[in-house]
Amino acid sequence: MDILNALVAILNFVVIPAASYGAQLALGALGVTLIYGILRFSNFAHGDTMAFGTALVILVTWGLQAIGIDLGPVPTALLALPIGIALCSVFVLGTDRTVYRFYRRKRSDPIILVMASVGVMFIMNGLTRLVIGVDEIRFDDGARFLVSVQQFRAWTGLSEGLSLRVSQAITLAVTALACWALFRFLSRSRAGKAMRAYSDNEDLALLSGIDPERVVRLTWIIATALAVTAGTLYGLDKSFKAFNYFQILLPIFAAAIVGGLGNPLGAVAGGFIVAFSEVAVTYPWKKIANYLGFQPEGLLQLLSTEYKFAVSFVILIVVLLFRPTGLFRGKSV
Amino acid sequence: MTEPYLSATDMHGGYGKADILNGCTLTVDKGQIAVIVGPNGAGKSTAMKAVFGMLNLREGRVTLGGEDITALTPQERVRKGMGFVPQTHNIFPTMTVEENLEMGAFIREDDFRDTMAQVYELFPAVADKRKQNAGELSGGQRQQVAVGRALMTKPSLLMLDEPTAGVSPIVMDELFDRIIEVARTGISILMVEQNARQALEIADIGYVLVQGANRYTDSGQALLADPEVRRTFLGG
């Protein structure tokens, strides 16, 4: 029985939160890795694209709620998501037209594009705060739990409870769907293959008649869709706060680099690796040790949660030192 | 005399201020194999790039099938019937062989499956690996994929920049055999070769370039028989 309780506790406090956090990171890292593969620079504005897009989704959600539309148990934000993606894509394409295209035509070094993206990041950062403010916003309506602790206890008779929030279940489902659609698009469709060809060998893609501006536009739109989806899921799961999205940029880059920059499969794996490491290192394992018959002195918490970003840093440094191309052989940084 | 299918006459130009090409002329007829040889730095690859429009010409003109294409970009020249196989980076390494060929046919709106079947027929070794990533193949097979990719647009002129660079002599012979087969289907071939002797063996016309200008022009066999050419360029 105690072993079962220990398992349930691990599921409840480690596996489920890490999986949904990992899914959010994976979606974010996919966007970063696509931009890196096609446009060949690390987009520092990605975190704030998530924030800006999510702010738009929240505004549309409020609009929908005001005219009395909701999705019942499912958050209304999911209905607002496609509209938010469309609006944010228009904005991001605008940044490409006004900022990045200039440097692309000049064939500038990647570092110049990175610095340009830092500028775009600050602008989006400020815009988001102007549009929706700096306060914490909860926008998850509908049902809160798919499985609540009380229900679980009543079903199983275990003393340890397990909860699965609607936002977590939706995160996992939406991420699975988005990854499936993306990988299918990249491996089957003509446009997806053209994107991969352009990422593989730009000059040969040009010779083959692939229009680079089309590939670039498509990449921005897909990366934005992934970013806004990730941002909205993160906001539903943990509440929206503009600053959080700036901070989440670090674990997202860690995820993309661990998986191998430019490799979409690596980005997904990297997202989960970073999330599971972060949660496992900051979770106090005392309770589980107790169930297993140990009586530890302390909390068995390796790192307090305030330092969770240190985990991403350490992973990043270890990977860059020992395997710069990442686990799935992406491009080296 | 009618104008040859490809005619690049009196080309002058280079990448910066100094010209690399100083009055280079290349012509290829339908179904002919033309080979450009010459010492290092003679401008062999540059001459081919100029024919393909990857280099701005200061002087000279290029015509294909009687049409002046001097002002066209490389992409536009592909649509006019030129196929180009660069010396390096000539495949999409993380895409399968089949996807490489598909990308070769990217500009084609029609059904290209029969062209793909022809390419597979020409390169059976590659056909066996159609689902494998091109980057995982051997050097010779990669070159075959690269040539196959260029053939997917059904070009009338195929340009090869040192197709046998870095492959073993056996693979080289095999590649040359395939190139002869391609030429027999009526496609004109223009290639730059480091392995001058073997390349001239199969050449209908050979150009010996020195300092960006034609030094000798004759049939491959005649160049091989010319004692002067043998002594200076073929090592005796």
Side-chain angles (χ1 to χ4, degrees):
Chain A
M1 216 54 175
D2 274 351
I3 295 217
L4 275 182
N5 274 321
L7 271 176
V8 169
I10 291 179
L11 262 179
N12 189 34
F13 293 108
V14 179
V15 176
I16 292 176
S20 61
Y21 179 45
Q24 291 147 11
L25 290 185
L27 286 180
L30 269 176
V32 164
T33 227
L34 281 179
I35 301 273
Y36 189 88
I38 307 279
L39 288 118
R40 297 169 216 287
F41 74 97
S42 303
N43 181 19
F44 275 46
H46 202 72
D48 282 285
T49 306
M50 287 167 73
F52 184 70
T54 311
L56 293 173
V57 168
I58 293 173
L59 292 178
V60 176
T61 305
W62 287 343
L64 288 173
Q65 284 167 341
I67 54 173
I69 298 174
D70 68 61
L71 288 177
V74 179
T76 315
L78 284 192
L79 198 61
L81 183 60
I83 305 170
I85 288 173
L87 293 172
C88 194
S89 296
V90 170
F91 184 87
V92 168
L93 287 174
T95 65
D96 182 70
R97 183 61 71 89
T98 51
V99 181
Y100 301 116
R101 193 171 69 171
F102 172 75
Y103 295 105
R104 190 163 59 242
R105 295 232 165 121
K106 276 177 63 175
R107 291 197 165 235
S108 299
D109 285 338
I111 189 67
I112 292 174
L113 281 151
V114 171
M115 289 303 120
S117 81
V118 172
V120 172
M121 173 184 86
F122 282 126
I123 289 180
M124 293 188 92
N125 208 308
L127 259 180
T128 308
R129 281 159 176 72
L130 275 178
V131 167
I132 206 155
V134 293
D135 297 328
E136 189 163 333
I137 299 167
R138 293 219 63 98
F139 60 104
D140 55 335
D141 52 1
R144 247 182 95 56
F145 289 101
L146 211 60
V147 179
S148 76
V149 172
Q150 289 84 356
Q151 280 174 327
F152 184 82
R153 284 207 186 113
W155 287 339
T156 59
L158 289 171
S159 60
E160 192 60 43
L162 182 140
S163 74
L164 179 64
R165 279 185 282 132
V166 171
S167 61
Q168 291 169 326
I170 284 176
T171 295
L172 293 172
V174 169
T175 305
L177 197 71
C179 288
W180 175 81
L182 178 69
F183 286 111
R184 211 183 146 79
F185 170 77
L186 287 177
S187 64
R188 300 280 178 84
S189 75
R190 195 173 126 91
K193 284 178 191 171
M195 276 175 68
R196 281 166 54 217
Y198 187 83
S199 162
D200 247 14
N201 189 336
E202 192 178 332
D203 294 327
L204 199 60
L206 284 175
L207 283 189
S208 306
I210 293 168
D211 177 4
E213 288 300 314
R214 259 194 72 180
V215 169
V216 165
R217 275 199 302 276
L218 195 60
T219 308
W220 279 119
I221 292 172
I222 293 173
T224 306
L226 291 165
V228 179
T229 307
T232 303
L233 293 173
Y234 185 80
L236 283 173
D237 198 16
K238 299 196 168 72
S239 87
F240 173 87
K241 206 173 172 208
F243 187 61
N244 285 347
Y245 290 92
F246 173 70
Q247 287 193 321
I248 205 184
L249 194 60
L250 175 65
I252 282 177
F253 266 95
I257 291 168
V258 167
L261 270 174
N263 184 326
L265 197 63
V268 176
F272 286 103
I273 290 171
V274 170
F276 271 87
S277 319
E278 209 174 90
V279 174
V281 170
T282 54
Y283 175 69
W285 291 85
K286 183 178 183 197
K287 184 191 252 180
I288 287 150
N290 281 337
Y291 279 128
L292 296 176
F294 300 101
Q295 303 297 329
E297 292 278 317
L299 283 170
L300 290 186
Q301 185 181 20
L302 291 171
L303 209 62
S304 91
T305 36
E306 290 87 51
Y307 292 117
K308 63 177 179 183
F309 290 115
V311 179
S312 302
F313 261 123
V314 171
I315 293 176
L316 205 51
I317 289 166
V318 169
V319 168
L320 289 179
L321 277 179
F322 296 105
R323 208 182 155 96
T325 53
L327 298 176
F328 287 75
R329 273 192 296 169
K331 295 168 180 153
S332 88
V333 189
Chain B
M1 192 185 114
T2 58
E3 201 177 10
Y5 183 63
L6 169 83
S7 148
T9 43
D10 197 27
M11 297 189 292
H12 286 78
Y15 300 103
K17 277 211 176 110
D19 280 355
I20 296 173
L21 300 178
N22 300 298
C24 169
T25 295
L26 302 168
T27 63
V28 193
D29 253 327
K30 271 254 175 260
Q32 260 193 343
I33 299 179
V35 173
I36 310 172
V37 297
N40 284 334
K44 305 186 291 286
S45 291
T46 309
M48 183 178 280
K49 283 177 181 162
V51 171
F52 192 52
M54 292 167 81
L55 169 84
N56 285 331
L57 286 181
R58 222 165 34 73
E59 247 180 76
R61 63 197 283 267
V62 183
T63 64
L64 187 72
E67 187 185 351
D68 191 336
I69 58 166
T70 317
L72 297 188
T73 63
Q75 286 82 357
E76 289 165 334
R77 291 181 203 216
V78 170
R79 288 176 197 273
K80 293 281 178 203
M82 282 185 168
F84 180 61
V85 182
Q87 186 182 349
T88 54
H89 303 292
N90 50 21
I91 52 162
F92 300 111
T94 72
M95 302 180 82
T96 64
V97 169
E98 187 135 321
E99 286 170 338
N100 266 274
L101 298 184
E102 270 177 55
M103 287 301 108
F106 195 81
I107 56 168
R108 284 181 59 179
E109 306 284 337
D110 56 335
D111 189 1
F112 52 75
R113 272 176 297 185
D114 52 329
T115 316
M116 198 180 269
Q118 282 165 11
V119 169
Y120 283 145
E121 209 174 300
L122 190 62
F123 302 118
V126 162
D128 295 338
K129 307 202 164 167
R130 61 184 79 186
K131 295 288 173 207
Q132 213 168 318
N133 279 1
E136 296 165 2
L137 303 183
S138 71
Q141 286 166 348
R142 280 188 205 209
Q143 288 298 13
Q144 296 184 3
V145 174
V147 175
R149 187 206 63 83
L151 286 173
M152 287 302 291
T153 49
K154 286 207 262 183
S156 48
L157 169 72
L158 183 66
M159 290 186 285
L160 306 154
D161 194 353
E162 300 204 14
T164 64
V167 303
S168 70
I170 298 169
V171 175
M172 181 176 78
D173 287 344
E174 158 97 20
L175 264 174
F176 281 151
D177 284 347
R178 295 290 166 263
I179 289 166
I180 294 170
E181 265 183 64
V182 172
R184 283 208 188 112
T185 64
I187 297 176
S188 312
I189 309 268
L190 177 63
M191 70 177 168
V192 169
E193 256 302 327
Q194 201 64 257
N195 299 303
R197 198 182 288 268
Q198 290 86 340
L200 287 176
E201 295 271 359
I202 66 163
D204 296 304
I205 182 163
Y207 295 95
V208 182
L209 245 54
V210 177
Q211 295 189 342
N214 300 50
R215 176 67 60 89
Y216 301 98
T217 305
D218 211 328
S219 74
Q221 294 303 333
L223 286 174
L224 282 170
D226 185 332
E228 180 75 15
V229 174
R230 287 173 68 101
R231 195 166 48 77
T232 12
F233 299 108
L234 302 175

